[in-house]
Amino acid sequence: MSETYIARSSAIAARMLAGEMMVMNSMDSTFFTLNEVATAIWQAADGRTPLREIVRNRVCEQFDVDPEQAQTDAQEFVAELSTHGILLVSDHPLASEAP
Amino acid sequence: MSLMSEMSQKAFDLGVPISVHLDVTYRCNERCVHCYLDHDDHGEMTTAEIKGVLDQLAEAGVFFLTFSGGEVFMRRDFFDLLEHARRRLFNVKIKTNAVMIHEEEARRIRSLGVDTIQISVYSHRPEVHDAITKLPHSFDRTMKAIRFLRDEGLRVTIANVLMTANLSDHYHLQKLAAEMGVHYTVDPTITPMMDGDTSVLALRIPGEELTEVFHNPALVANMEEFCAPPKAPTEDDLEGYSCSAAHSFCYISPYGDVFPCVQFPLPSGNVRKQKFLDIWNLSPQLKEVRSIQAKHLTVCSSCSHVNSCTRCPGLAYMEGSMRGPSTADCEKSYYRTGVPTANMLRQGAEKAGGMPLVQIQPLAVSI
Ligand code: SF4
Ligand code: SF4
């Protein structure tokens, strides 16, 4: 089964406010807030660590969640952020676009 | 309420500086007739100092960062600063006259993920624009830059400061912006010089002509609501605060001085001497600004406009008291609605024609 790799796009601005991560894409000014779990995934999106590993190490270990459910949720979340150009997704490791 | 205004409100309630305006230089290649700045370099922060400030701002929770000046590109290290800011994940807006932006610069700005570029343009007529900037061919250079930036896919806004010299041109400039596919915004506010010199205020649009601006559907989105007579303020309104200055926003000068706002020259600390967060949390000046509610305002608390007025506490401060009225905003409220303001009534003038247009006193402080 192929792995999923995720990296943050260079068009992104982000900052924590009161426990939520604000994320904004300068390409189209879409503005999101991410909850704690989503923030943990987003912060670990270095283009090199497979999503499965991120979910195992960052999500399952720190939050009390069912591993399979967490994996499915993470896939959905990543797919959504990639349609907004906030995460780049590939089945190969990615170079980070960050400035 | 949009998610973004919800987060801005949260920052306001928590006292988080979500937005900062940083002037990186006061130097400029234009000499605009209405400009309030002293363009000499009196010891700007170095590259390393500004990067250090940016690190502190990121840590303090600043999300929206505006780089402005002077002209930002007068600093040779501007791209270095911009890169650093983007590495710290700020949402960056740049204000510039754009005359130094060519294809290569436009590409770099794009690749760094800048959110918006706001560019000052005064007229669709080169001779009028150049007469205001006092830089020959500035109109052509600025327009060329706008096209480069737009072609890179950047969000560009043409900001049109209105004054007597270009008052009749806004319609054509707005049309030109639409043809070019860029945004357009208009601002009839001329601000006194930082040193208190008020001579530039003579360039302000006279009151009667403001009526035309405010009742022009092309310039005002929902005019009926905008020009409606004010609703009587409620108790809740009187508990309210005026604007984000010192609550979730502040201004930092090229010399590291911190102020509540670009238009509020109350010195509140210096990042060369103190940590940004210490200034933000502990400065007596910022605390004072933060404490003022509508009910504390000397004249405005009894004014029917208090709820809808754009009253700027910075301009009020320049007139003598941050708790007092701001004449420029009084005029706007009056010419918008036709209803006399408490400030006018206090002065026994039923008609705005009965009061002098500008009553601003020189600044009491030197900065
Ligand atoms: S109202 Fe005045 S002090 Fe407040 S943010 Fe606007 S310009 Fe600044
Ligand atoms: S109209 Fe004038 S007096 Fe009334 S609230 Fe505005 S600034 Fe104050």
Side-chain angles (χ1 to χ4, degrees):
Chain A
M1 189 176 165
S2 74
E3 293 284 8
T4 304
Y5 295 89
I6 53 174
R8 290 178 244 161
S9 131
S10 65
I12 293 308
R15 194 72 74 226
M16 277 304 249
L17 175 65
E20 282 179 281
M21 179 73 87
M22 300 179 283
V23 178
M24 194 159 165
N25 184 350
S26 69
M27 305 280 282
D28 56 3
S29 280
T30 41
F31 181 80
F32 287 84
T33 54
L34 308 181
N35 67 19
E36 264 184 298
V37 175
T39 301
I41 297 175
W42 189 80
Q43 280 173 330
D46 59 3
R48 294 185 306 271
T49 317
L51 180 60
R52 183 184 308 278
E53 208 177 305
I54 294 176
V55 173
R56 194 174 57 228
N57 297 342
R58 298 296 197 96
V59 180
C60 297
E61 283 206 356
Q62 291 173 27
F63 305 94
D64 186 21
V65 286
D66 169 60
E68 246 173 64
Q69 186 61 44
Q71 189 62 39
T72 320
D73 290 352
Q75 293 280 7
E76 270 177 31
F77 160 76
V78 162
E80 195 197 334
L81 288 198
S82 82
T83 61
H84 292 288
I86 286 180
L87 279 180
L88 311 173
V89 185
S90 166
D91 51 7
H92 303 290
L94 290 154
S96 174
E97 259 199 12
Chain B
M1 202 193 255
S2 75
L3 182 59
M4 193 173 321
S5 18
E6 225 175 89
M7 295 310 279
S8 301
Q9 185 60 45
K10 203 180 257 183
F12 188 103
D13 294 341
L14 295 169
V16 172
I18 195 172
S19 176
V20 164
H21 179 122
L22 173 62
D23 280 347
V24 290
T25 180
Y26 284 155
R27 286 173 290 138
C28 194
N29 44 1
E30 293 186 338
R31 283 290 176 274
C32 298
V33 292
H34 61 289
C35 183
Y36 54 86
L37 294 174
D38 167 2
H39 294 296
D40 292 335
D41 178 358
H42 297 287
E44 289 168 6
M45 286 190 280
T46 62
T47 313
E49 280 178 312
I50 295 187
K51 286 184 178 175
V53 170
L54 293 174
D55 294 346
Q56 291 188 50
L57 295 181
E59 219 160 281
V62 176
F63 185 49
F64 301 104
L65 177 72
T66 300
F67 276 127
S68 182
E71 170 48 42
V72 291
F73 285 99
M74 293 296 281
R75 279 192 77 118
R76 288 173 187 274
D77 62 355
F78 184 63
F79 272 113
D80 197 7
L81 300 175
L82 187 55
E83 230 173 273
H84 193 81
R86 288 293 300 128
R87 227 177 280 130
R88 292 281 172 270
L89 297 177
F90 291 103
N91 173 278
V92 174
K93 176 176 178 181
I94 300 173
K95 292 189 178 188
T96 169
N97 59 36
V99 299
M100 287 154 96
I101 297 177
H102 307 98
E103 268 171 304
E104 172 57 22
E105 285 79 13
R107 247 196 312 273
R108 275 188 86 181
I109 293 170
R110 172 58 157 156
S111 72
L112 285 169
V114 167
D115 190 274
T116 313
I117 307 231
Q118 184 173 312
I119 299 172
S120 315
V121 184
Y122 300 98
S123 170
H124 62 295
R125 293 181 290 169
E127 65 280 12
V128 175
H129 177 92
D130 291 0
I132 289 175
T133 65
K134 296 198 211 144
L135 180 69
H137 311 297
S138 57
F139 179 83
D140 293 339
R141 291 169 70 182
T142 296
M143 283 296 153
K144 238 183 176 168
I146 292 176
R147 290 195 182 92
F148 289 144
L149 292 161
R150 177 205 60 192
D151 292 348
E152 284 294 328
L154 274 147
R155 210 163 311 124
V156 178
T157 297
I158 286 184
N160 181 195
V161 174
L162 280 188
M163 55 195 119
T164 37
N166 63 352
L167 182 55
S168 58
D169 292 359
H170 60 77
Y171 170 76
H172 296 280
L173 182 54
Q174 190 175 19
K175 212 166 130 230
L176 181 61
E179 281 163 17
M180 293 173 79
V182 301
H183 300 275
Y184 170 88
T185 142
V186 70
D187 182 2
T189 312
I190 301 268
T191 314
M193 303 263 191
M194 289 295 249
D195 63 3
D197 181 348
T198 55
S199 56
V200 288
L201 298 182
L203 304 168
R204 265 186 192 164
I205 301 168
E208 299 74 36
E209 291 184 35
L210 271 181
T211 311
E212 191 271 330
V213 172
F214 289 148
H215 290 76
N216 183 337
L219 293 176
V220 177
N222 44 355
M223 204 176 67
E224 233 167 76
E225 192 186 325
F226 188 70
C227 298
K231 291 199 188 82
T234 64
E235 294 225 337
D236 269 3
D237 293 334
L238 292 174
E239 295 293 320
Y241 300 91
S242 44
C243 63
S244 60
H247 287 274
S248 55
F249 171 73
C250 74
Y251 165 63
I252 305 177
S253 83
Y255 311 123
D257 294 312
V258 178
F259 301 93
C261 174
V262 193
Q263 206 165 270
F264 199 152
L266 170 70
S268 307
N270 188 296
V271 289
R272 282 173 152 160
K273 298 188 191 123
Q274 274 173 287
K275 288 217 172 72
F276 172 76
L277 257 187
D278 286 344
I279 298 172
W280 180 258
N281 290 325
L282 305 173
S283 144
Q285 293 82 6
L286 294 183
K287 278 187 178 170
E288 182 180 2
V289 175
R290 221 169 269 154
S291 72
I292 301 173
Q293 293 172 282
K295 64 182 176 194
H296 301 133
L297 302 175
T298 47
V299 176
C300 307
S301 59
S302 61
C303 179
S304 59
H305 290 282
V306 69
N307 198 18
S308 53
C309 178
T310 53
R311 177 187 172 275
C312 168
L315 290 179
Y317 170 76
M318 289 191 243
E319 282 187 51
S321 163
M322 61 172 100
R323 291 175 180 77
S326 133
T327 307
D329 293 298
C330 273
E331 291 197 337
K332 285 191 206 163
S333 289
Y334 175 71
Y335 288 111
R336 205 160 41 83
T337 61
V339 176
T341 72
N343 194 26
M344 288 161 59
L345 295 171
R346 178 183 67 143
Q347 294 166 356
E350 284 289 333
K351 286 172 89 96
M355 67 195 257
L357 180 63
V358 174
Q359 308 174 314
I360 292 182
Q361 299 300 312
L363 274 186
V365 293
S366 61
I367 53 166

